[in-house]
Amino acid sequence: QVQLVESGGGLVQAGGSLRLSCAASGRTFSTYSMGWFRQVPGKEREFVSAISRSAGSTYYADSVKDRFTISRDNAKNTVDLQMNSLKPEDTAAYYCVAARADYGLKYSYRYDYWGQGTQVTVSS
């Protein structure tokens, strides 16, 4: 069992930055691929970014590429999402996710555990 707790959300102006953090419980963090999804009410969950178990591979949605950076620290059981040049369309609830799988990480069904979410609001 893995528990995920996100932090770092908030209100920011367009063009600003936020850093989301996710703390994971358990001693098997390094065996999970990690990622972030986001969701706006009334819309489907959207893949944002993912990182492999060893941090050797990272993946990004086209909409956030070159603006967001995902990283992980297996010694601290954390995964972060640095978000720069934020846009109003980045407004959403952001969810930290963990997957036993190490492939197909753009698909929500690959993930076994989800955090409770943290709200990011970008004002224009």
Side-chain angles (χ1 to χ4, degrees), residues 63-91:
S63 59
V64 307
K65 202 171 292 183
D66 299 326
R67 298 189 298 122
F68 291 11
T69 302
I70 191 169
S71 60
R72 67 186 295 165
D73 186 333
N74 285 345
K76 295 182 179 179
N77 284 15
T78 59
V79 58
D80 292 346
L81 185 68
Q82 177 66 43
M83 306 186 295
N84 298 329
S85 303
L86 283 161
K87 304 175 181 179
E89 51 264 43
D90 294 318
T91 295

Side-chain angles (χ1 to χ4, degrees), residues 4 7 12 16 22 27 29 35 37 42 44-45 49 52 55 61 68 70 72 80 85-86 93 106 110 119 121:
L4 304 171
S7 62
V12 64
C22 174
R27 286 181 261 181
F29 178 75
F37 279 73
E44 291 187 359
R45 282 178 296 197
S49 183
S52 63
F68 291 11
I70 191 169
R72 67 186 295 165
D80 292 346
S85 303
L86 283 161
K106 295 184 178 182
R110 289 294 184 193
Q119 180 66 33
T121 302

Side-chain angles (χ1 to χ4, degrees), residues 86-115:
L86 283 161
K87 304 175 181 179
E89 51 264 43
D90 294 318
T91 295
Y94 283 71
Y95 297 88
C96 178
V97 292
R100 295 185 183 91
D102 206 23
Y103 58 93
L105 296 177
K106 295 184 178 182
Y107 302 102
S108 61
Y109 65 81
R110 289 294 184 193
Y111 293 90
D112 304 285
Y113 300 101
W114 292 71

Side-chain angles (χ1 to χ4, degrees), residues 6 10 13 16 19 24-26 28 30 35-36 42-43 49 55 64 70-71 83 88 92 106 113-115 123:
E6 303 96 336
Q13 288 189 331
R19 188 176 183 89
S25 65
T28 58
S30 63
W36 292 89
K43 294 189 176 181
S49 183
V64 307
I70 191 169
S71 60
M83 306 186 295
K106 295 184 178 182
Y113 300 101
W114 292 71
S123 63

